[in-house]
Amino acid sequence: MTRKILIAGNWKMNGLLEDGVNLAKEVAAEVKKLGRPQCEFLVCPPFTLLYSVKKALRGAKVALGAQDAHFAVKGAHTGDISPAMLKDLGCSYVILGHSERRADHNESNELVAKKAVAAYENGLKTIICIGETEKQRDEGKTIDVCSKQILGSVPANADASNTVIAYEPVWAIGTGKTPTAKDVEEVHAAVRAVLAKKLGKSVANKMRILYGGSVKPANAKEFLSLPDVDGALIGGASLKAQDFMAIAKSVC
Ligand code: 13P
């Protein structure tokens, strides 16, 4: 089964106009130098930068994604952004259910699933995030927590063409701490087994599962060469084009 590696940058709430455009231009130039890369590239800037980053990426094989979307197409939802708006702006992906949104905005599995359905209806692919807290890991509940998140957040009509899963242990995000390669492989294999139960074996075998949480140039190869790891969702290191590309080059 060949699953194309996805190298995705989640810029989170970082970047003013000039920084964002410069970063996008640097990434675009580096990806162009790769010619026909083996990997798929994606950057997910904050909403405020999407339009300018889209322009800066012109002609480069780098997809554009957002970090969240509402489940409604339009209407009275002050401050929210709909999947239709993101599609209109040139996005092809949206990250849903990131642990920071689950924590900061109380997002439940049910809400994440509802958003995912709306994203599909508007032609967006989703990156659905899951991952355990440090306490849950210490209590030995990692697989259980991740399984429940998959079962609750991934819609029944998810398939490999509209959905990517990102396993991001909450305690590894932005901390410099990472699970061992063995731990990551174990969780990814378990996630694929749950996906197989929910969506069928054929869909599960094609669906990409990314690892995220303190991915850096120095540890990228170790994670990205694991059999069930199909790419990375990169936070901090995606804000420096050189680091982002060094991570990519470890496998692409
Ligand atoms: P860091 O790479 O900064 O740990 O963030 C990971 C993440 O949350 C990506 O979505």
Side-chain angles (χ1 to χ4, degrees), residues 10 12 98 100 168 172-175 212-216 233-237:
N10 174 8
K12 306 193 180 185
H98 191 283
E100 286 151 14
E168 301 201 305
I173 295 177
T175 57
S214 295
V215 177
K216 307 278 180 244
L233 183 55
I234 306 152

Side-chain angles (χ1 to χ4, degrees), residues 75-233:
H77 300 286
T78 302
D80 278 313
I81 304 286
S82 83
M85 291 167 171
L86 299 175
K87 183 72 183 172
D88 186 42
L89 218 48
C91 290
S92 50
Y93 278 91
V94 60
I95 297 171
L96 295 176
H98 191 283
S99 61
E100 286 151 14
R101 292 210 60 87
R102 290 179 189 260
D104 295 353
H105 300 274
N106 243 328
E107 292 199 3
S108 64
N109 289 329
E110 293 68 29
L111 179 65
V112 174
K114 208 167 159 184
K115 289 180 173 199
V117 169
Y120 304 155
E121 282 167 0
N122 288 279
L124 292 175
K125 297 173 201 170
T126 60
I127 298 182
I128 298 178
C129 303
I130 58 161
E132 82 287 1
T133 62
E134 189 151 35
K135 183 166 178 284
Q136 289 165 334
R137 170 159 288 255
D138 291 345
E139 290 169 353
K141 293 183 182 157
T142 299
I143 305 271
D144 188 41
V145 166
C146 292
S147 302
K148 286 200 178 113
Q149 286 176 327
I150 292 284
L151 293 172
S153 312
V154 177
N157 61 338
D159 62 33
S161 70
N162 62 22
T163 303
V164 174
I165 305 296
Y167 168 55
E168 301 201 305
V170 177
W171 53 273
I173 295 177
T175 57
K177 291 195 268 183
T178 54
T180 64
K182 188 169 163 285
D183 288 341
V184 171
E185 184 50 22
E186 194 181 305
V187 177
H188 279 230
V191 166
R192 203 174 297 287
V194 176
L195 288 170
K197 226 186 266 174
K198 186 178 168 93
L199 305 170
K201 208 165 175 184
S202 157
V203 170
N205 280 341
K206 289 185 206 132
M207 194 170 277
R208 290 178 292 185
I209 307 173
L210 314 182
Y211 170 73
S214 295
V215 177
K216 307 278 180 244
N219 62 20
K221 195 171 180 134
E222 189 186 8
F223 293 124
L224 289 170
S225 44
L226 295 169
D228 269 309
V229 176
D230 309 309
L233 183 55

Side-chain angles (χ1 to χ4, degrees), residues 25-48:
K25 281 184 179 162
E26 280 179 65
V27 170
E30 290 296 319
V31 172
K32 276 185 194 165
K33 275 191 221 161
L34 294 177
R36 285 168 156 265
Q38 302 291 309
C39 302
E40 186 184 340
F41 286 87
L42 168 68
V43 291
C44 302
F47 292 129
T48 48

